[in-house]
Amino acid sequence: STDRSMQLNQAAVEQLVGQEQARQAQTLFLSKLTEIAFEKCITKPDTSLSSSENECIAAVMHKYVDAQKLVIGRYQRQQAAQQPLN
């Protein structure tokens, strides 16, 4: 029963670590996306964004989200192809 408790605690810790890693990856992705969008789209910083700056930022976001989906999809297909068939 002590072993079972330790296994449950370890599983809970592993789940928390995984959640934290996912949160950090998301934060890093959003930070990088913000940096890219700012460099590409903001020509003269002001108190508000122009319509063309808004459109540019939206286009950059869509491009990188689409690229991320493509990469994740390819990775998942590769992983599935490498798993032995039962």
Side-chain angles (χ1 to χ4, degrees):
S1 107
T2 302
D3 286 342
R4 180 75 176 138
S5 293
M6 289 177 58
Q7 288 175 342
L8 290 174
N9 286 338
Q10 183 176 355
V13 168
E14 288 173 1
Q15 183 179 10
L16 287 173
V17 168
Q19 289 171 348
E20 179 61 21
Q21 288 174 334
R23 188 189 66 74
Q24 287 178 355
Q26 184 179 36
T27 299
L28 180 62
F29 176 74
L30 290 174
S31 176
K32 185 66 176 171
L33 187 57
T34 300
E35 179 183 325
I36 291 167
F38 186 86
E39 288 176 9
K40 181 176 176 110
C41 302
I42 309 301
T43 55
K44 52 182 180 177
D46 200 353
T47 57
S48 62
L49 298 173
S50 70
S51 61
S52 63
E53 289 170 333
N54 273 320
E55 290 170 10
C56 178
I57 290 169
V60 167
M61 288 177 52
H62 289 294
K63 175 182 173 183
Y64 282 90
V65 168
D66 288 347
Q68 185 181 41
K69 287 179 184 177
L70 178 71
V71 169
I72 289 170
R74 282 188 181 169
Y75 176 77
Q76 289 173 338
R77 285 191 299 278
Q78 286 177 342
Q79 291 300 310
Q82 292 175 358
Q83 290 181 357
L85 299 175
N86 292 331

